[in-house]
Amino acid sequence: GIAFRLIARLGLMERVEWIEHYFHQWFARSAVHILVGKEFDVIYAFSGVAEELFHCFAKTATIRFLARGSCHVLTQRDLLRREEERIAGRVEEPSPWRVRRELREYNEAAIVVTLSSFARQSFADQGFPKEKVRLLLSATDVGHFRAEPRIIANRATRIRGGQRLRVLSVGTFSVRKGAADLTAVARAARDIAEFRFVGSVSRDGRKIGREARRYIDFRARVPHHELNWQYAWADIFVLLSIEDGFPAV
């Protein structure tokens, strides 16, 4: 995991094709080595690293669950290609090797678990059997993010006084998460609102980010338990996404 993150940060993942193959298969084979010869009712594996595990348990009674964090990989690829044309720039998308691997995993899984209605619908749109897809919605303790009465009162006073609205977006500033659209909105509304983005900027979001910094105040990523102060600052929260399957924010 550490090696994978380091190589991704250095940008080698896109330039050296075999690296993705090696790391995904390395992880999956390591999992097989740990689990082989044991009995399980269920194997719950994430897409991209499940194929070897599924092969290992194919002739057993073990139920094979596949967790797909985003939409169907073909939908993801097509949406990102259209976005690439729209912004006339490079967009990170699933490699041909990843697409082929995930399609095999979908077929070998007993159940594919999706984390949003959008992701579930994408499988239906691709002709995948509906009975093999499940929806598992994520949850959080919203009380942690609820603003104090004092903050709400100050916000109401400020808005009634005619001050600019405060608009917040958090997560990763990337093309697949709507960076181009957020920049366009911030540019159009700059006279009536101030925008803040808290999080990291992906490689394919850097070019858009250079223009976006004229209209958006970028802040570094903060720990999850500190985000409540960022939400308290804002009047409006904006979530833009092209194909993100389960935005944790």
Side-chain angles (χ1 to χ4, degrees), residues 72-90:
H72 191 289
V73 69
L74 294 180
T75 302
Q76 180 184 38
R77 183 197 62 187
D78 294 344
L79 286 170
L80 291 177
R81 285 181 176 177
R82 289 203 294 269
E83 193 68 5
E84 193 169 56
E85 294 174 0
R86 186 166 76 102
I87 68 168
R90 180 77 173 86

Side-chain angles (χ1 to χ4, degrees), residues 138-149 151-152 155 168 170-171 198 222-237 247-249:
S138 304
T140 191
D141 179 6
V142 295
H144 179 71
F145 298 96
R146 187 170 291 121
E148 299 173 3
I151 294 175
I152 295 174
R155 176 184 299 152
L168 174 72
V170 308
V198 179
V222 300
H224 184 75
H225 64 273
E226 294 181 15
L227 273 176
N228 57 324
W229 296 110
Q230 297 295 340
Y231 284 112
W233 168 86
D235 305 319
I236 299 172
F237 175 73
V249 300

Side-chain angles (χ1 to χ4, degrees), residues 46-92:
F46 286 87
S47 65
V49 294
E51 186 172 22
E52 290 77 6
L53 271 171
F54 286 176
H55 286 171
C56 180
F57 290 92
K59 296 182 180 180
T60 70
T62 303
I63 302 174
R64 301 182 300 278
F65 279 78
L66 182 72
R68 172 60 177 158
S70 190
C71 55
H72 191 289
V73 69
L74 294 180
T75 302
Q76 180 184 38
R77 183 197 62 187
D78 294 344
L79 286 170
L80 291 177
R81 285 181 176 177
R82 289 203 294 269
E83 193 68 5
E84 193 169 56
E85 294 174 0
R86 186 166 76 102
I87 68 168
R90 180 77 173 86
V91 176
E92 297 174 11

Side-chain angles (χ1 to χ4, degrees), residues 94-134:
S95 67
W97 177 86
R98 178 65 178 262
V99 171
R100 293 191 298 269
R101 180 176 173 88
E102 292 224 2
L103 291 176
R104 293 194 299 269
E105 291 173 338
Y106 298 167
N107 291 328
E108 293 173 13
I111 296 293
V112 175
V113 179
T114 57
L115 304 178
S116 67
S117 56
F118 158 69
R120 179 180 59 181
Q121 183 60 42
S122 71
F123 277 82
D125 294 342
Q126 292 292 341
F128 193 77
K130 293 182 179 180
E131 63 273 13
K132 287 185 61 175
V133 183
R134 298 289 187 275

